[in-house]
Amino acid sequence: MDLQTLTYIVVGATFALYIGIAIWARAATTGEFYVAGKGVNPIANGMATGADWMSAASFISMAGLIAFMGYDASVYLMGWTGGYVLLAMLLAPYLRKFGKFTVPEFIGERFYSQTARIVAVICLIVASITYVIGQMKGVGVAFGRFLEVPFEVGVYVGMAIVFIYAVLGGMKGITYTQIAQYVVLIFAYTVPAIFISLNLTDNPIPQLGLGSAMADGSGVHLLDKLDQVLVELGFNQYTAQKGETLNIFLLTLSLMIGTAGLPHVIIRFFTVPKVRDARASAGWALVFIALLYTTAPAVGAMAILNFVNTVQTGEVGSAEGNVVAEQRPQWMRNWETTGLLAYEDKNGDGRIQYYNDKNPDFAAKAESFGWKGNEMTKVDRDIMVLANPEIAKLPNWVIALVAAGGLAAALSTAAGLLLAISSAISHDLLKGVFMPNISEKNELMAGRIAMAGAILVAGWLGIHPPGFAAQVVALAFGLAASSIFPALMMGIFNKKINNSGAVLGMLAGLLSTLIYIFWFKGWFFIPGTEMMANTKDNWFLGIQPESFGAVGALINFAVAIIVSKVTAPPPEHIQHLVEDIRIPKGAGQASSH
Amino acid sequence: MSAPTHDAIGYWKANLRLMTICLVIWFVVSYGFGILLVEPLNAISLGGYKLGFWFAQQGSIYTFVVLIFFYAWRMNRLDREFDVHED
């Protein structure tokens, strides 16, 4: 059977499964629509959280980032996992005890302020919308590459699938689909990794293979070998630190507290029956996430080693050391047609050279070899995962599985984000602010309409991505880190924070982070509107814009604490509310409000 | 809802103590071993891994998982000790 037919069958089967789940798990009440009736088993919720969290970026792009950044990509590995420790200890159990439906709802009640609630809604919507654009793009790209349909058609199909199970099932439908999507995506990620690890190191477990000796009998460890081949080609050592410690530190911190503050992740912990389930569920979520996140470093390192070995077949600098262009492997030809891979025979020797032509120390050497510049003119990072099965010569069904896995990762995250957006609109804005007396039936209908609207907006933005689409990661995490996380944490851990403190703190954190990012990257990322060149000399204390979320959070904490000190303390009943959410007892009653 | 009982205060203090221990470990394995001390630790090998690199790309994540389950387990015991558990 040819690859395309096989891919259609595998992807079609997973889609049929998602739709089947949607029909089985329809939501009948607002409780089911917003929080799956609070009846989700903690392990199942952990699995759903894993799929909710791991996006197209985690599945497709992260290993590629690691492959080309080496040690420096550790910021993503630690940053996107360490937040779960904060979530498990600082937020999830208490917010579950509070027992309501949305994140802004907690902020509004704890700080007895509609303004606080609306500020939280705005932060939530901006962070979630920017994040969802990338997922929709991911769906379009995956379709385009594997099923050879136009990008827009891919986005439409993705929208239709999400529409069916998110509008019908709300959180209930999303939860059970996410569980299925987790299974698909983790299988698709680990199977190629196991084969590649076996191939290179004889060890089937990628996490161990990365620390093993090469299978070529040389006895050299894989990572040492990788360091060596990269240095021979003028690159930095793979395992060495290249960036500055301050920015690595702050970016990791920003990603961690941003992770803990992202509403679509937090609301997953509202779906479990008990406070103690929320704690355990965060652990399970991280187990399921760690399966992929500890495999990714192996995938990245092995992919870049395979790639370099494909091009540099012999000794560096020898006449026969590089692959003859006409004899390059089939997978390179396949990916050249997608435009993600390109080579140009700059020195006309009929062979391909891949090396660091930006390294002045290596330039003389390269010239003596007769090299006229790096000839791999385009190597898209995403190839490292997408082309991996072909590089490792795995059967076609594995390639089909990777396509289904990429789609599962993008769709599951998109659905979680869309639910966070629609519940903020129907529950926080409509019921909370504009129509407090709306009936449950009408609120459920409003939730479905908001979901449908959010899907249309997300799809439109996916097809017409604003110029800043590539920058949104910094923005989404910066917003969550600087506005939502500190407000939630102080709401639980500091009884003295009052309404003015919370509102001014959130605004200070939000605005300082937004302005800092826009200052160096242009207002709303419009090119040419930067106030200063985005260079280290201009940065405040040398902090890059991507890393500023942690500083914004600090500003939020400081402003909230100072303002609360000089204004009236929160009323008695709010202090009791805080005391009440700090103990698990009585969570059952709180949920049946 | 009533004023916090003696037990509730003790429970909260015990929780904060446990949390602080966990967060110190959280900080040390990631920011300490994985970032600030990565270069000196890289002089030590763990199989084919340099130790600092291992903490940054593997070890810190494993520690995070263990920390959450340890915290959840200890908190369940605290819940019962201070009689604030559910059901």
Side-chain angles (χ1 to χ4, degrees):
Chain A
M1 202 184 305
D2 74 333
L3 175 60
Q4 186 142 8
T5 320
L6 203 58
T7 310
Y8 270 105
I9 292 173
V10 173
V11 171
T14 59
F15 280 13
L17 176 67
Y18 307 152
I19 293 170
I21 292 171
I23 293 166
W24 168 69
R26 278 180 311 244
T29 63
T30 51
E32 289 186 344
F33 190 83
Y34 294 134
V35 291
K38 293 187 198 287
V40 182
N41 171 286
I43 301 177
N45 183 56
M47 211 178 254
T49 310
D52 194 58
W53 175 237
M54 291 189 284
S55 57
S58 290
F59 187 92
I60 298 172
S61 306
M62 196 172 62
L65 277 175
I66 300 170
F68 289 99
M69 291 171 71
Y71 164 80
D72 284 19
S74 310
V75 292
Y76 303 109
L77 292 163
M78 291 189 286
W80 287 335
T81 54
Y84 282 85
V85 178
L86 302 178
L87 206 52
M89 293 176 199
L90 304 179
L91 304 181
Y94 312 106
L95 295 177
R96 172 60 193 83
K97 173 65 195 295
F98 180 66
K100 299 292 173 69
F101 291 155
T102 70
V103 170
E105 192 173 15
F106 172 77
I107 291 180
E109 286 206 22
R110 164 60 184 87
F111 299 114
Y112 46 102
S113 155
Q114 289 284 34
T115 318
R117 190 171 185 175
I118 291 169
V119 171
V121 168
I122 292 169
C123 296
L124 181 154
I125 289 180
V126 175
S128 302
I129 291 262
T130 48
Y131 211 104
V132 86
I133 299 171
Q135 308 311 316
M136 286 312 197
K137 271 185 69 190
V139 173
V141 168
F143 264 101
R145 242 168 260 169
F146 290 104
L147 301 172
E148 288 168 33
V149 296
F151 178 82
E152 294 81 17
V153 177
V155 175
Y156 292 138
V157 175
M159 285 165 68
I161 297 290
V162 173
F163 187 91
I164 293 172
Y165 68 76
V167 173
L168 265 185
M171 184 56 120
K172 195 176 164 200
I174 288 172
T175 300
Y176 294 104
T177 352
Q178 280 176 337
I179 293 169
Q181 284 160 335
Y182 177 80
V183 175
V184 172
L185 82 86
I186 202 67
F187 199 58
Y189 202 83
T190 46
V191 167
I194 288 169
F195 280 108
I196 291 166
S197 180
L198 262 178
N199 229 328
L200 284 174
T201 68
D202 283 338
N203 194 323
I205 301 168
Q207 289 84 342
L208 299 178
L210 183 59
S212 299
M214 298 289 292
D216 56 11
S218 62
V220 180
H221 287 296
L222 185 136
L223 282 168
D224 295 336
K225 174 84 181 171
L226 185 53
D227 279 345
Q228 181 205 328
V229 300
L230 288 178
V231 169
E232 279 175 2
L233 293 169
F235 295 98
N236 285 310
Q237 274 197 3
Y238 186 80
T239 55
Q241 180 181 329
K242 282 133 272 188
E244 277 184 72
T245 305
L246 172 73
N247 280 314
I248 290 181
F249 187 100
L250 284 179
L251 181 54
T252 309
L253 189 59
S254 301
L255 294 178
M256 281 195 197
I257 54 184
T259 300
L262 279 174
H264 74 285
V265 179
I266 296 174
I267 54 173
R268 284 240 47 98
F269 295 94
F270 296 177
T271 67
V272 294
K274 293 193 166 73
V275 173
R276 68 159 184 263
D277 296 331
R279 296 181 195 129
S281 196
W284 285 111
L286 192 54
V287 167
F288 295 119
I289 292 165
L291 258 176
L292 190 145
Y293 271 62
T294 55
T295 306
V299 172
M302 291 173 188
I304 190 79
L305 185 60
N306 268 334
F307 175 73
V308 171
N309 284 341
T310 304
V311 176
Q312 190 71 48
T313 50
E315 203 175 315
V316 175
S318 68
E320 264 94 51
N322 293 75
V323 68
V324 176
E326 283 314 304
Q327 290 165 14
R328 67 190 188 281
Q330 187 59 38
W331 68 262
M332 286 181 78
R333 294 172 197 267
N334 292 348
W335 287 89
E336 279 161 20
T337 61
T338 64
L340 296 178
L341 197 69
Y343 86 95
E344 187 195 332
D345 192 2
K346 290 180 182 166
N347 62 353
D349 65 350
R351 291 171 183 270
I352 304 173
Q353 284 95 37
Y354 173 67
Y355 69 102
N356 185 5
D357 56 5
K358 306 219 165 44
N359 179 351
D361 299 334
F362 191 70
K365 233 179 181 179
E367 214 178 306
S368 75
F369 299 151
W371 294 356
K372 298 257 165 61
N374 174 26
E375 296 182 350
M376 288 306 309
T377 46
K378 167 97 186 172
V379 187
D380 192 286
R381 288 167 171 169
D382 292 354
I383 283 192
M384 292 296 146
V385 165
L386 298 174
N388 230 344
E390 292 162 82
I391 297 175
K393 303 190 184 69
L394 300 182
N396 277 351
W397 65 266
V398 179
I399 303 173
L401 197 60
V402 170
L407 287 167
L411 289 175
S412 57
T413 305
L417 289 161
L418 290 164
L419 185 86
I421 296 167
S422 60
S423 61
I425 293 171
S426 61
H427 192 64
D428 290 308
L429 287 187
L430 197 66
K431 184 178 166 69
V433 178
F434 297 113
M435 295 171 69
N437 298 321
I438 189 170
S439 72
E440 178 175 339
K441 195 161 158 258
N442 286 340
E443 192 192 341
L444 182 59
M445 182 49 72
R448 293 192 208 273
I449 293 169
M451 175 70 83
I455 292 172
L456 291 178
V457 172
W460 190 85
L461 287 171
I463 293 171
H464 309 276
F468 58 79
Q471 319 263 20
V472 297
V473 175
L475 189 69
F477 280 89
L479 290 183
S482 63
S483 60
I484 301 171
F485 176 82
L488 293 174
M489 190 183 157
M490 287 184 290
I492 298 158
F493 285 86
N494 191 335
K495 275 195 269 187
K496 301 208 174 70
I497 302 296
N498 61 18
N499 50 357
S500 340
V503 171
L504 291 175
M506 275 197 284
L507 288 176
L510 176 72
L511 292 177
S512 60
T513 306
L514 268 185
I515 291 171
Y516 194 80
I517 293 175
F518 287 158
W519 197 264
F520 294 109
K521 298 194 162 229
W523 298 98
F524 301 96
F525 301 109
I526 297 164
T529 61
E530 306 87 351
M531 306 302 287
M532 268 185 194
N534 190 13
T535 58
K536 199 191 150 215
D537 303 336
N538 290 335
W539 295 338
F540 173 68
L541 300 175
I543 300 169
Q544 62 185 15
E546 288 81 0
S547 304
F548 199 78
V551 181
L554 206 66
I555 294 172
N556 185 339
F557 280 118
V559 169
I561 290 169
I562 292 167
V563 171
S564 299
K565 268 211 157 68
V566 298
T567 46
E572 192 85 343
H573 74 276
I574 294 297
Q575 310 212 15
H576 287 314
L577 169 77
V578 177
E579 279 151 16
D580 187 59
I581 57 172
R582 286 178 178 182
I583 56 167
K585 203 170 200 161
Q589 293 92 326
S591 66
S592 56
H593 68 299
Chain B
M1 280 183 277
S2 55
T5 59
H6 179 70
D7 265 3
I9 294 168
Y11 170 76
W12 188 244
K13 278 192 177 149
N15 176 12
L16 291 181
R17 203 176 312 126
L18 175 61
M19 216 178 69
T20 310
I21 295 168
C22 291
L23 288 180
V24 166
I25 300 171
W26 165 82
F27 183 87
V28 167
V29 292
S30 51
Y31 297 93
F33 297 162
I35 297 175
L36 299 174
L37 299 173
V38 66
E39 305 230 326
L41 285 179
N42 273 346
I44 305 166
S45 310
L46 180 79
Y49 280 111
K50 293 173 179 170
L51 190 59
F53 181 85
W54 181 80
F55 267 109
Q57 301 212 339
Q58 298 277 317
S60 56
I61 302 176
Y62 300 134
T63 315
F64 296 155
V65 171
V66 173
L67 273 178
I68 298 179
F69 281 112
F70 172 73
Y71 175 77
W73 170 65
R74 289 301 300 258
M75 281 307 284
N76 288 346
R77 276 189 17 181
L78 278 184
D79 289 353
R80 295 201 170 272
E81 244 169 68
F82 287 89
D83 195 31
V84 292
H85 58 285
E86 304 147 280
D87 58 54

